[in-house]
Amino acid sequence: MATRATLTAAPRSILGKQVKRLRQQGLLPANVYGRGLESLALQLDAREFLRTVRAAGVRSMFELKVEGESQPRYVLIRALQRKGGTGDPIHVDFYQVDLNRPILTNVPLRVVGEAPAVRDLAGTLLVAIESVTVRCRPLDLPEAIEVDVSKLASFDATITVGDLTPPPGVEVVTEPSTLVATVSPPRLRLGGETPAADGAEGAEAAEE
């Protein structure tokens, strides 16, 4: 089981347009809901939230500790509103998962190893996708799935989703034929690999 990033929150009594006061105090308004659960209004430290999410990734599952509750909630970020669309977070919606029910979510890919076609043949590694969709129980959700590019020994070699090895209990549901990574050959100089003659050789060629 992967180590979960932890967020701490407190129940929120300020609702509606009044939440502007919370943001001025450095607090982030939030809601948590789930299957068969009543929605709960929360507030978090905005800087702590941003720091944790940047480190763990927005698609990760988080252990949410709510003040006054004895057990943590396991949550995914379902909606994140940002100021102006791209600025600092101004509201977040958490979805509390049922630990006994499989979930469908995206998991990032992590490139590991060194491609021989890059090292020995001066090729360029091309990564086609950054994440895959998986189905698993919440506590089996990995932080990432590794892509071992040491298998790419030639420019004809490819790694597809079907070549990935997910952790036990994790099913990758992205189409197996989807390209994950390959290596492109180096670009040839204009007119071929042979550089134009220069110096004395160039002068001799011109005289001839």
Side-chain angles (χ1 to χ4, degrees):
M1 182 178 69
T3 301
R4 303 295 168 199
T6 301
L7 293 168
T8 57
R12 171 166 57 94
S13 58
I14 297 177
L15 307 172
K17 295 182 179 180
Q18 300 297 323
V19 297
K20 182 178 181 180
R21 293 181 351 205
L22 293 177
R23 299 188 184 107
Q24 293 172 343
Q25 299 170 23
L27 297 174
L28 176 66
N31 285 83
V32 59
Y33 63 94
R35 183 184 180 91
L37 299 175
E38 186 177 349
S39 178
L40 175 64
L42 301 172
Q43 59 190 45
L44 304 85
D45 182 277
R47 289 186 179 180
E48 178 191 353
F49 170 83
L50 195 56
R51 181 170 55 249
T52 302
V53 171
R54 281 176 175 170
V58 72
R59 296 189 181 94
S60 298
M61 185 168 70
F62 298 89
E63 188 175 296
L64 180 65
K65 296 182 177 179
V66 180
E67 183 180 307
E69 296 184 355
S70 59
Q71 298 295 325
R73 299 172 181 241
Y74 291 91
V75 300
L76 300 170
I77 294 176
R78 273 294 166 87
L80 182 60
Q81 298 177 31
R82 294 179 177 273
K83 186 176 181 179
T86 58
D88 291 336
I90 57 175
H91 190 279
V92 58
D93 284 332
F94 294 110
Y95 180 79
Q96 182 174 336
V97 299
D98 182 341
L99 298 183
N100 295 314
R101 293 176 62 90
I103 59 173
L104 196 68
T105 188
N106 292 331
V107 171
L109 299 177
R110 179 187 298 140
V111 174
V112 297
E114 183 179 19
V118 173
R119 181 189 63 225
D120 303 330
L121 304 177
T124 301
L125 178 65
L126 301 177
V127 179
I129 58 174
E130 297 181 348
S131 64
V132 290
T133 303
V134 303
R135 180 185 291 110
C136 63
R137 295 195 179 207
L139 293 184
D140 291 331
L141 184 65
E143 295 177 358
I145 293 178
E146 293 187 347
V147 181
D148 184 2
V149 297
S150 63
K151 304 172 183 177
L152 299 176
S154 71
F155 301 134
D156 295 326
T158 61
I159 297 175
T160 65
V161 168
D163 298 320
L164 301 177
T165 304
V170 178
E171 176 192 2
V172 178
V173 298
T174 299
E175 172 60 42
S177 62
T178 303
L179 178 67
V180 174
T182 188
V183 176
S184 66
R187 294 183 178 179
L188 301 180
R189 293 176 183 235
L190 187 63
E193 292 183 311
T194 305
D198 56 7
E201 293 180 358
E204 292 175 3
E207 291 174 0
E208 292 176 0

